[in-house]
Amino acid sequence: GLVLYAPLWHPQNSGSPFNAWDIANGGVHSCTVTGATWGIQGRTFAGGDDWIIPTDSSVFEGMAALTLEAWIKPTFTAAILCIIGKHWSGADGSYYLSLTATAINFRVINATTAVTHTVTYSTSTSSFTHIKAVYDGAIMWIEVNGVQVGTTSAQTGAVQTNTRGLAIGALDTTGSQPFYGTIGEVRINSIAVLGQQGYLVTKWRYS
């Protein structure tokens, strides 16, 4: 289910720390903000000293399936912008969702293998884009504004469990591959979310 829902646009989340909801477990995750400034459409990130760190939890790893979703409006001040990351170097980590000016990257790491699924896509810098990355225990794919982009990549097994913390707006909790631009909201599901629901129920806010 939905283990993290962080509507960064919400006025209740304008300070630091704020609480992101864990709907699947009936709780919250305290999120500490460094640098990223609040606005009515989300948090604006300006690079290496801007990120959001939820309190680490076992619900962010070890799942048999995974869905990462975010509304973003990047500026591409850097070559690689990480939206969500629970990662480190090489195969040390769990997953990440990142983008370049011409591609979107989704990595899932199991106990032995790291697979990076990359699709060619030029994300808009003038309007918000909904990006969804899904791993269903057998394949990985990426959807943009409710539509699958490119093909799929094979991966199996549970997402690796490790001591790396979760970061929004960076690859890891040290701020590697920082995001530049605005992130409106973030969702992490411990299941493969099928269909366009996450996109359709939120697109009015970003249209």
Side-chain angles (χ1 to χ4, degrees):
L2 185 58
V3 296
L4 183 124
Y5 173 47
L8 304 183
W9 52 266
H10 201 291
Q12 289 184 342
N13 296 337
S14 61
S16 178
F18 68 85
N19 286 330
W21 288 286
D22 182 341
I23 305 301
N25 300 290
V28 297
H29 301 287
S30 180
C31 299
T32 300
V33 181
T34 300
T37 56
W38 180 84
I40 59 172
Q41 289 189 307
R43 290 272 183 172
T44 297
F45 297 74
D49 57 354
D50 289 13
W51 60 82
I52 298 172
I53 307 298
T55 300
D56 199 24
S57 171
S58 61
V59 304
F60 298 147
E61 59 191 14
M63 60 277 280
L66 171 69
T67 304
L68 306 177
E69 293 183 72
W71 280 97
I72 63 167
K73 186 180 178 182
T75 62
F76 293 112
T77 304
I80 303 175
L81 311 182
C82 195
I83 305 166
I84 306 166
K86 193 179 192 300
H87 198 263
W88 200 248
S89 61
D92 185 7
S94 299
Y95 48 81
Y96 66 71
L97 176 62
S98 69
L99 65 156
T100 69
T102 58
I104 303 172
N105 309 296
F106 175 37
R107 171 172 277 204
V108 173
I109 305 168
N110 63 20
T112 60
T113 307
V115 174
T116 304
H117 178 60
T118 298
V119 299
T120 299
Y121 189 85
S122 297
T123 304
S124 174
T125 58
S126 60
S127 60
F128 276 87
T129 300
H130 182 264
I131 296 179
K132 181 171 103 174
V134 187
Y135 168 56
D136 69 358
I139 58 174
M140 302 161 58
W141 70 91
I142 291 170
E143 299 173 17
V144 176
N145 293 334
V147 178
Q148 183 177 326
V149 176
T151 57
T152 63
S153 293
Q155 172 66 305
T156 59
V159 174
Q160 180 167 255
T161 299
N162 59 76
T163 59
R164 304 304 179 189
L166 177 70
I168 298 171
L171 180 69
D172 53 50
T173 55
T174 66
S176 300
Q177 295 183 10
F179 190 84
Y180 288 81
T182 302
I183 301 176
E185 57 189 76
V186 168
R187 296 170 185 252
I188 300 177
N189 270 276
S190 58
I191 60 172
V193 177
L194 306 179
Q196 296 182 324
Q197 182 178 359
Y199 165 65
L200 293 176
V201 300
T202 54
K203 71 174 185 176
W204 63 272
R205 180 174 298 280
Y206 304 99
S207 299

